[in-house]
Amino acid sequence: MNYHILNSKGEALQVKAFHPGLYLLEEIEERELLKKDVAHELGILPTNLSEILKGKRNISPRVAIKLEKVLNISAEYWLNLQMAWDLQKAREEEYA
């Protein structure tokens, strides 16, 4: 399969993955939620949520399901973001 994204001139663009914590932070801020309340609803410590938001901790399947309940964004979406990030990091290490 070809997963290249092309610009208007037909040139391949390199798309970088981002840690899902960045998107989660945007969602929390956009919805004007308090981080401590989100952590409570997820059943995790605020420090653990902070580490996710900073990209220092991964989103596990359990947390992805809880995010699905809290934010109404599918667990698959969160896990796909996490997988894309993990693959990018692994490729960078392999080809460095």
Side-chain angles (χ1 to χ4, degrees):
M1 263 185 211
N2 186 354
Y3 292 107
H4 297 286
I5 297 175
L6 307 176
N7 66 14
S8 61
K9 297 178 183 176
E11 301 164 334
L13 298 174
Q14 185 173 0
V15 178
K16 291 286 228 174
F18 56 90
H19 191 277
L22 293 174
Y23 182 66
L24 178 54
L25 178 59
E26 287 180 8
E27 281 294 321
I28 290 170
E29 290 174 348
E30 184 67 28
R31 296 172 190 224
E32 299 180 353
L33 301 172
L34 295 176
K35 293 174 193 169
K36 67 176 185 161
D37 293 341
V38 173
H40 178 73
E41 289 188 57
L42 295 176
I44 63 175
L45 295 171
T47 54
N48 290 350
L49 176 61
S50 179
E51 289 179 348
I52 291 171
L53 300 177
K54 292 177 183 175
K56 295 180 179 181
R57 183 181 289 256
N58 291 342
I59 292 179
S60 68
R62 183 184 69 80
V63 170
I65 290 170
K66 291 188 178 214
L67 284 168
E68 180 177 71
K69 290 169 124 179
V70 172
L71 300 176
N72 199 29
I73 299 173
S74 76
E76 289 84 3
Y77 182 80
W78 294 110
L79 292 177
N80 283 334
L81 286 177
Q82 186 65 59
M83 182 179 60
W85 175 253
D86 292 343
L87 281 171
Q88 178 176 286
K89 290 293 154 201
R91 283 188 177 114
E92 288 171 359
E93 291 173 10
E94 182 67 25
Y95 297 112

